[in-house]
mmCIF file of all heavy atoms in Angstrom:
data_model
loop_
_atom_site.group_PDB
_atom_site.id
_atom_site.type_symbol
_atom_site.label_atom_id
_atom_site.label_comp_id
_atom_site.label_asym_id
_atom_site.label_seq_id
_atom_site.Cartn_x
_atom_site.Cartn_y
_atom_site.Cartn_z
ATOM 1 N N LEU A 111 84.876 71.409 90.365
ATOM 2 C CA LEU A 111 85.716 71.995 89.299
ATOM 3 C C LEU A 111 85.547 73.477 89.300
ATOM 4 O O LEU A 111 84.429 73.996 89.372
ATOM 5 C CB LEU A 111 85.325 71.407 87.979
ATOM 6 C CG LEU A 111 85.918 71.992 86.709
ATOM 7 C CD1 LEU A 111 87.486 71.675 86.662
ATOM 8 C CD2 LEU A 111 85.292 71.545 85.403
ATOM 9 N N VAL A 112 86.665 74.158 89.165
ATOM 10 C CA VAL A 112 86.659 75.626 89.000
ATOM 11 C C VAL A 112 87.287 75.946 87.608
ATOM 12 O O VAL A 112 88.394 75.388 87.316
ATOM 13 C CB VAL A 112 87.446 76.297 90.109
ATOM 14 C CG1 VAL A 112 87.504 77.858 89.838
ATOM 15 C CG2 VAL A 112 86.674 76.094 91.452
ATOM 16 N N VAL A 113 86.697 76.852 86.892
ATOM 17 C CA VAL A 113 87.190 77.295 85.631
ATOM 18 C C VAL A 113 87.385 78.824 85.669
ATOM 19 O O VAL A 113 86.494 79.556 85.983
ATOM 20 C CB VAL A 113 86.229 76.942 84.497
ATOM 21 C CG1 VAL A 113 86.854 77.456 83.125
ATOM 22 C CG2 VAL A 113 85.979 75.448 84.400
ATOM 23 N N SER A 114 88.646 79.235 85.455
ATOM 24 C CA SER A 114 88.972 80.685 85.473
ATOM 25 C C SER A 114 89.409 81.171 84.129
ATOM 26 O O SER A 114 90.134 80.464 83.424
ATOM 27 C CB SER A 114 90.155 80.873 86.444
ATOM 28 O OG SER A 114 90.628 82.244 86.415
ATOM 29 N N PRO A 115 88.916 82.351 83.660
ATOM 30 C CA PRO A 115 89.280 82.804 82.312
ATOM 31 C C PRO A 115 90.709 83.241 82.157
ATOM 32 O O PRO A 115 91.193 83.443 81.058
ATOM 33 C CB PRO A 115 88.304 84.004 82.158
ATOM 34 C CG PRO A 115 88.033 84.496 83.534
ATOM 35 C CD PRO A 115 88.001 83.214 84.389
ATOM 36 N N SER A 116 91.393 83.449 83.285
ATOM 37 C CA SER A 116 92.822 83.802 83.268
ATOM 38 C C SER A 116 93.554 83.164 84.409
ATOM 39 O O SER A 116 92.936 82.496 85.235
ATOM 40 C CB SER A 116 92.959 85.322 83.309
ATOM 41 O OG SER A 116 92.486 85.815 84.644
ATOM 42 N N ILE A 117 94.900 83.344 84.390
ATOM 43 C CA ILE A 117 95.631 82.863 85.541
ATOM 44 C C ILE A 117 95.224 83.620 86.783
ATOM 45 O O ILE A 117 95.183 84.861 86.751
ATOM 46 C CB ILE A 117 97.156 83.102 85.272
ATOM 47 C CG1 ILE A 117 97.605 82.457 83.976
ATOM 48 C CG2 ILE A 117 98.016 82.518 86.455
ATOM 49 C CD1 ILE A 117 97.347 80.975 83.903
ATOM 50 N N PRO A 118 94.910 82.977 87.934
ATOM 51 C CA PRO A 118 94.483 83.728 89.138
ATOM 52 C C PRO A 118 95.537 84.645 89.626
ATOM 53 O O PRO A 118 96.617 84.193 89.952
ATOM 54 C CB PRO A 118 94.126 82.574 90.081
ATOM 55 C CG PRO A 118 94.912 81.391 89.618
ATOM 56 C CD PRO A 118 94.995 81.516 88.114
ATOM 57 N N HIS A 119 95.243 85.942 89.695
ATOM 58 C CA HIS A 119 96.280 86.897 90.115
ATOM 59 C C HIS A 119 95.616 88.137 90.815
ATOM 60 O O HIS A 119 96.405 89.071 91.050
ATOM 61 C CB HIS A 119 97.055 87.331 88.888
ATOM 62 C CG HIS A 119 96.306 88.089 87.858
ATOM 63 N ND1 HIS A 119 95.379 87.479 87.029
ATOM 64 C CD2 HIS A 119 96.273 89.406 87.563
ATOM 65 C CE1 HIS A 119 94.831 88.419 86.209
ATOM 66 N NE2 HIS A 119 95.363 89.595 86.515
ATOM 67 N N ARG A 120 94.320 88.083 91.066
ATOM 68 C CA ARG A 120 93.709 89.275 91.660
ATOM 69 C C ARG A 120 93.341 89.095 93.126
ATOM 70 O O ARG A 120 92.441 89.722 93.603
ATOM 71 C CB ARG A 120 92.426 89.610 90.823
ATOM 72 C CG ARG A 120 92.745 89.985 89.347
ATOM 73 C CD ARG A 120 91.525 90.032 88.522
ATOM 74 N NE ARG A 120 90.935 88.700 88.334
ATOM 75 C CZ ARG A 120 89.928 88.434 87.537
ATOM 76 N NH1 ARG A 120 89.338 89.395 86.868
ATOM 77 N NH2 ARG A 120 89.395 87.260 87.457
ATOM 78 N N VAL A 121 94.101 88.289 93.798
ATOM 79 C CA VAL A 121 93.974 87.967 95.201
ATOM 80 C C VAL A 121 92.704 87.127 95.466
ATOM 81 O O VAL A 121 92.870 86.010 96.009
ATOM 82 C CB VAL A 121 93.960 89.206 96.101
ATOM 83 C CG1 VAL A 121 93.880 88.782 97.526
ATOM 84 C CG2 VAL A 121 95.157 90.092 95.791
ATOM 85 N N PHE A 122 91.532 87.622 95.071
ATOM 86 C CA PHE A 122 90.308 86.809 95.367
ATOM 87 C C PHE A 122 90.309 85.514 94.552
ATOM 88 O O PHE A 122 89.920 84.463 95.112
ATOM 89 C CB PHE A 122 89.092 87.608 95.089
ATOM 90 C CG PHE A 122 88.737 87.840 93.638
ATOM 91 C CD1 PHE A 122 88.033 86.884 92.908
ATOM 92 C CD2 PHE A 122 89.066 89.020 93.018
ATOM 93 C CE1 PHE A 122 87.745 87.116 91.547
ATOM 94 C CE2 PHE A 122 88.832 89.230 91.681
ATOM 95 C CZ PHE A 122 88.128 88.288 90.921
ATOM 96 N N ASP A 123 90.779 85.497 93.322
ATOM 97 C CA ASP A 123 90.774 84.260 92.582
ATOM 98 C C ASP A 123 91.993 83.436 92.950
ATOM 99 O O ASP A 123 91.944 82.162 92.856
ATOM 100 C CB ASP A 123 90.789 84.533 91.071
ATOM 101 C CG ASP A 123 91.840 85.518 90.624
ATOM 102 O OD1 ASP A 123 92.565 86.040 91.432
ATOM 103 O OD2 ASP A 123 91.898 85.802 89.337
ATOM 104 N N TYR A 124 93.085 84.059 93.390
ATOM 105 C CA TYR A 124 94.214 83.273 93.893
ATOM 106 C C TYR A 124 93.913 82.554 95.114
ATOM 107 O O TYR A 124 94.318 81.402 95.386
ATOM 108 C CB TYR A 124 95.377 84.221 94.085
ATOM 109 C CG TYR A 124 96.717 83.486 94.321
ATOM 110 C CD1 TYR A 124 97.322 82.692 93.374
ATOM 111 C CD2 TYR A 124 97.387 83.632 95.597
ATOM 112 C CE1 TYR A 124 98.526 82.038 93.619
ATOM 113 C CE2 TYR A 124 98.562 82.963 95.798
ATOM 114 C CZ TYR A 124 99.118 82.179 94.802
ATOM 115 O OH TYR A 124 100.374 81.511 95.091
ATOM 116 N N ALA A 125 93.094 83.214 96.048
ATOM 117 C CA ALA A 125 92.663 82.594 97.267
ATOM 118 C C ALA A 125 91.764 81.348 96.972
ATOM 119 O O ALA A 125 91.827 80.346 97.603
ATOM 120 C CB ALA A 125 91.873 83.601 98.142
ATOM 121 N N LEU A 126 90.959 81.503 95.860
ATOM 122 C CA LEU A 126 90.151 80.378 95.416
ATOM 123 C C LEU A 126 91.003 79.225 94.932
ATOM 124 O O LEU A 126 90.716 78.046 95.192
ATOM 125 C CB LEU A 126 89.129 80.819 94.330
ATOM 126 C CG LEU A 126 88.289 79.794 93.626
ATOM 127 C CD1 LEU A 126 87.501 78.943 94.631
ATOM 128 C CD2 LEU A 126 87.429 80.418 92.552
ATOM 129 N N TYR A 127 92.058 79.591 94.223
ATOM 130 C CA TYR A 127 92.991 78.595 93.725
ATOM 131 C C TYR A 127 93.637 77.781 94.898
ATOM 132 O O TYR A 127 93.754 76.597 94.889
ATOM 133 C CB TYR A 127 94.074 79.229 92.933
ATOM 134 C CG TYR A 127 95.195 78.351 92.485
ATOM 135 C CD1 TYR A 127 95.064 77.352 91.482
ATOM 136 C CD2 TYR A 127 96.460 78.469 93.055
ATOM 137 C CE1 TYR A 127 96.091 76.529 91.104
ATOM 138 C CE2 TYR A 127 97.529 77.638 92.624
ATOM 139 C CZ TYR A 127 97.357 76.692 91.700
ATOM 140 O OH TYR A 127 98.364 75.864 91.324
ATOM 141 N N ILE A 128 93.956 78.533 96.000
ATOM 142 C CA ILE A 128 94.627 77.877 97.149
ATOM 143 C C ILE A 128 93.542 77.003 97.852
ATOM 144 O O ILE A 128 93.876 75.894 98.326
ATOM 145 C CB ILE A 128 95.133 78.998 98.111
ATOM 146 C CG1 ILE A 128 96.185 79.823 97.399
ATOM 147 C CG2 ILE A 128 95.738 78.288 99.326
ATOM 148 C CD1 ILE A 128 97.207 79.091 96.651
ATOM 149 N N ALA A 129 92.330 77.514 97.949
ATOM 150 C CA ALA A 129 91.254 76.689 98.528
ATOM 151 C C ALA A 129 91.041 75.363 97.801
ATOM 152 O O ALA A 129 90.863 74.311 98.377
ATOM 153 C CB ALA A 129 89.935 77.481 98.673
ATOM 154 N N CYS A 130 91.137 75.435 96.467
ATOM 155 C CA CYS A 130 91.004 74.264 95.622
ATOM 156 C C CYS A 130 92.228 73.309 95.870
ATOM 157 O O CYS A 130 92.015 72.070 95.921
ATOM 158 C CB CYS A 130 91.001 74.640 94.128
ATOM 159 S SG CYS A 130 89.417 75.439 93.645
ATOM 160 N N LYS A 131 93.376 73.846 96.106
ATOM 161 C CA LYS A 131 94.538 72.970 96.349
ATOM 162 C C LYS A 131 94.335 72.290 97.741
ATOM 163 O O LYS A 131 94.681 71.116 97.884
ATOM 164 C CB LYS A 131 95.865 73.842 96.479
ATOM 165 C CG LYS A 131 96.268 74.363 95.088
ATOM 166 C CD LYS A 131 97.631 75.007 95.132
ATOM 167 C CE LYS A 131 98.733 73.991 95.218
ATOM 168 N NZ LYS A 131 98.947 73.223 93.915
#
Side-chain angles (χ1 to χ4, degrees):
L111 171 69
V112 174
V113 180
S114 172
S116 66
I117 304 301
H119 65 286
R120 297 169 292 186
V121 185
F122 73 84
D123 52 359
Y124 190 66
L126 173 56
Y127 173 72
I128 302 311
C130 288
K131 290 188 77 70

